[in-house]
Amino acid sequence: GHIWEGSVELPAGMHIQYKYVVRNNDGSVVRWQEGANVSLELPGGPADALALDVEDSWNKSKQVKRILATGTPVRFNIRFKVEFGQSLLVVGSCAVLGNWNVDNSVRLNWQEGHIWEGSVELPAGMHIQYKYVVRNNDGSVVRWQEGANVSLELPGGPADALALDVEDSWNKSKQVKRILATGTPVRFNIRFKVEFGQSLLVVGSCAVLGNWNVDNSVRLNWQEGHIWEGS
């Protein structure tokens, strides 16, 4: 347990340095990862062929890099208020979205203003359908998005040229799709135990990682079994 994960898009071919930081909920920094910065060379090839899974350790005794194939990056976001202790999921007609099984769906991350966001890699050129679901912390489903499924056509072009930002509304009155350029998808994960009420961040030498400013860093997210992930 105590695994923290998070995903970002970084410029292909770039050399970056980074560290992990423990922070309290009030924003105060508890602890920086000790010693020299961690280095990472990003692949220079097209992003539709390469992605990185980076497994780190706090004491820097290991850094395991796995090169992965990728599809089309898609970021879902929707404004919807739920009750305390509930979460919002997206579930749909492909394996990445759980094949309509809520237990295998994608849990979205809450942002200020009741905005829920989550990013996944979906097969380029695919037509998918999906819905949002409200769930309690015990796993019971509170509410499915009403009405017909939401449809999404994924671009058929190379993933190094196309990505989608999808802004939905609960009543389906709008679906805004923005096509974005992408870099190299990188997923950071590290095993480290923090105290209750603290979080783990990754901060580094490029804009996406905050240019060493903790306030602009990437917060890693917790999942079952002390696994944290996000985008």
Side-chain angles (χ1 to χ4, degrees):
H2 307 294
I3 305 294
W4 299 70
E5 294 186 348
S7 298
V8 293
E9 296 274 341
L10 298 175
M14 191 176 192
H15 173 84
I16 68 164
Q17 294 187 321
Y18 63 94
K19 281 187 172 183
Y20 295 94
V21 178
V22 180
R23 188 168 67 176
N24 289 318
N25 280 346
D26 64 5
S28 59
V29 171
V30 178
R31 180 181 179 188
W32 281 72
Q33 189 179 17
E34 294 82 4
N37 300 331
V38 187
S39 293
L40 180 64
E41 293 284 349
L42 297 168
D48 62 332
L50 295 177
L52 281 183
D53 183 271
V54 180
E55 182 183 347
D56 285 311
S57 60
W58 184 269
N59 64 6
K60 308 188 185 77
S61 62
K62 71 173 181 179
Q63 183 192 54
V64 180
K65 292 181 287 186
R66 306 176 186 90
I67 294 178
L68 312 170
T70 72
T72 299
V74 178
R75 184 178 66 180
F76 294 96
N77 74 87
I78 185 170
R79 182 189 300 272
F80 192 70
K81 186 176 181 179
V82 302
E83 300 298 324
F84 181 78
Q86 295 176 345
S87 57
L88 199 64
L89 320 169
V90 59
V91 62
S93 60
C94 62
V96 177
L97 298 182
N99 284 324
W100 296 113
N101 183 341
V102 175
D103 290 336
N104 298 324
S105 61
V106 176
R107 184 183 184 277
L108 304 180
N109 300 306
W110 186 87
Q111 307 288 337
E112 192 68 31
H114 304 292
I115 304 294
W116 295 82
E117 294 185 347
S119 297
V120 293
E121 296 276 339
L122 298 175
M126 191 176 191
H127 173 83
I128 67 164
Q129 294 188 321
Y130 63 93
K131 281 188 171 184
Y132 295 95
V133 178
V134 180
R135 188 168 68 176
N136 289 318
N137 279 347
D138 63 7
S140 59
V141 171
V142 177
R143 181 181 179 188
W144 281 72
Q145 188 180 20
E146 295 82 5
N149 300 330
V150 187
S151 293
L152 180 65
E153 293 283 349
L154 297 169
D160 62 332
L162 296 177
L164 280 182
D165 183 273
V166 180
E167 182 182 347
D168 284 312
S169 61
W170 184 269
N171 64 6
K172 309 187 184 77
S173 62
K174 71 173 182 179
Q175 182 192 53
V176 180
K177 292 182 286 187
R178 304 177 187 91
I179 295 179
L180 312 171
T182 71
T184 299
V186 178
R187 184 177 66 181
F188 294 97
N189 74 87
I190 186 170
R191 182 185 301 272
F192 191 70
K193 185 176 181 180
V194 302
E195 299 299 323
F196 180 79
Q198 296 176 347
S199 57
L200 198 64
L201 319 169
V202 58
V203 62
S205 61
C206 62
V208 177
L209 298 182
N211 284 324
W212 297 113
N213 182 341
V214 174
D215 291 335
N216 299 325
S217 61
V218 176
R219 182 184 183 276
L220 305 181
N221 299 302
W222 186 88
Q223 299 292 335
E224 189 67 28
H226 302 289
I227 295 175
W228 293 74
E229 61 184 12
S231 309

